[in-house]
């Protein structure tokens, strides 16, 4: 990504082109916003694979059927791996690992559905609450990837669009498409190549601590005898 930006600077022929200072800021914004979020997503995926071994087995069987053992999964496999997509959406919904969005401030008085919010009020969205609303989600506190699949095993777009993890509105995450590709590919390759188990020396818990993202403290799991987390 840095190389692409440097290429744009090198070939900029007007004074309004990208400057070095812009580039530095943009790249650090993208890395800052895209690193902790994606790695936290992957941590939760692995933890839930360990917690639900039957789901892990089902995912491995489906990936083997679609991809086989002679190559690695690629993004072209996505349309044939609805259950993996469902697992990823359910992990985002169930964990809501970015529980509230970045705070913003109102620039004028505003009324939304009868609720008056004065100018200069700090507002942010409680994504966790949206993702656990019992009026929208059946048994919201149960981890169930199949909730996203219809009777033919296809992904229900209406429900996947209801998962809120990238915020909403003008300032919603600009990296959501890259993030979805990254998470899909890395998760698919890990599941294709490895089986994850709990480290027998510790109890498996989903407890976490709060920051911008919800993280697990010092979790370890085993893959064929190697500690990987
Ligand atoms: C699963 C991964 C990710 C999640 C859950 C996530 C979530 C979010 C959330 C909740 C916001 C705050 C939106 C708001 O202010 O209301 C945000 C902002 C942002 N995200 Fe992401 N993000 C992810 C990955 C990425 C990636 C990979 C990139 C870049 C390549 C990125 C770039 C940004 C940027 C630049 C902003 C600030 C947008 C603005 O202020 O207008 N994010 N993200």
């Amino acid at each position: 990504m840095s190389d692409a930006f440097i290429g744009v600077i090198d070939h900029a022929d007007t004074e309004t082109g990208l400057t070095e200072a812009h580039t530095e800021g943009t790249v650090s914004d993208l890395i800052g916003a895209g690193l902790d979020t994606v790695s936290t997503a992957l941590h939760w995926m692995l933890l839930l694979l360990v917690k639900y071994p039957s789901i892990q087995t089902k995912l491995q069987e489906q990936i083997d059927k679609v991809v086989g053992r002679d190559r690695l999964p690629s993004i072209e496999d996505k349309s044939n791996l609805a259950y993996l997509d469902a697992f990823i959406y359910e992990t985002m919904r169930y964990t809501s690992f970015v529980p509230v969005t970045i705070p913003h401030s109102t620039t004028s008085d505003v009324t939304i559905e009868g609720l008056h919010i004065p100018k200069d009020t700090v507002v942010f969205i409680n994504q966790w609450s949206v993702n656990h609303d019992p009026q929208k989600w059946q048994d919201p506190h149960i981890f169930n990837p199949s909730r996203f699949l219809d009777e033919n095993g296809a992904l229900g777009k209406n429900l996947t669009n209801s998962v809120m993890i990238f915020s909403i509105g003008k300032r919603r995450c600009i990296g959501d498409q890259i993030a979805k590709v990254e998470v899909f590919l890395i998760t698919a390759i890990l599941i294709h190549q490895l089986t994850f188990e709990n480290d027998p020396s510790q109890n498996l818990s989903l407890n976490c601590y709060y920051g911008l993202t919800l993280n697990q403290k010092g979790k370890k799991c085993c893959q064929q005898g190697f500690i990987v987390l």
Side-chain angles (χ1 to χ4, degrees), residues 105-221:
S105 170
T106 49
T107 51
S108 60
D109 287 357
V110 61
T111 301
I112 301 173
E113 292 188 4
L115 180 71
H116 179 68
I117 308 172
K119 183 174 184 289
D120 296 329
T121 304
V122 172
V123 286
F124 44 90
I125 301 169
N126 184 340
Q127 302 200 112
W128 192 95
S129 165
V130 172
N131 290 333
H132 292 82
D133 180 354
Q135 290 183 6
K136 177 76 196 173
W137 306 99
Q138 195 180 352
D139 299 325
H141 298 286
I142 291 178
F143 183 76
N144 174 22
S146 298
R147 71 171 74 243
F148 289 101
L149 301 178
D150 65 18
E151 58 284 0
N152 302 315
L155 211 56
K157 288 284 176 205
N158 182 28
L159 268 188
T160 56
N161 288 338
S162 301
V163 175
M164 192 185 289
I165 196 78
F166 298 105
S167 188
I168 199 165
K170 264 191 201 166
R171 300 299 298 273
R172 83 190 294 278
C173 177
I174 57 163
D176 62 342
Q177 297 304 320
I178 300 178
K180 283 182 192 170
V181 170
E182 286 176 355
V183 169
F184 175 86
L185 265 183
I186 298 172
T187 310
I189 292 170
L190 288 174
I191 294 172
H192 183 255
Q193 293 292 304
L194 305 167
T195 298
F196 295 91
E197 295 168 4
N198 190 31
D199 177 346
S201 70
Q202 68 172 10
N203 290 329
L204 186 65
S205 129
L206 297 187
N207 289 345
C208 52
Y209 64 95
Y210 291 81
L212 174 63
T213 54
L214 299 178
N215 276 293
Q216 312 103 43
K217 231 177 220 164
K219 288 278 179 324
K220 289 181 183 160
C221 71

Side-chain angles (χ1 to χ4, degrees), residues 12-23:
D13 50 7
T14 69
E15 287 191 359
T16 54
L18 204 57
T19 64
E20 270 186 46
H22 279 128
T23 307

Side-chain angles (χ1 to χ4, degrees), residues 48-49 51-52 54-56 58-59 82-95 131-132 136-150 154-156 159-160 163 206:
L48 288 161
L49 288 174
K51 174 126 178 107
Y52 298 103
S54 61
I55 292 179
Q56 181 170 192
K58 188 169 168 185
L59 284 164
Y83 189 62
L84 176 56
D85 253 343
F87 170 77
I88 291 171
Y89 276 106
E90 180 65 343
T91 302
M92 296 193 297
R93 184 203 68 80
Y94 176 78
T95 66
N131 290 333
H132 292 82
K136 177 76 196 173
W137 306 99
Q138 195 180 352
D139 299 325
H141 298 286
I142 291 178
F143 183 76
N144 174 22
S146 298
R147 71 171 74 243
F148 289 101
L149 301 178
D150 65 18
L155 211 56
L159 268 188
T160 56
V163 175
L206 297 187

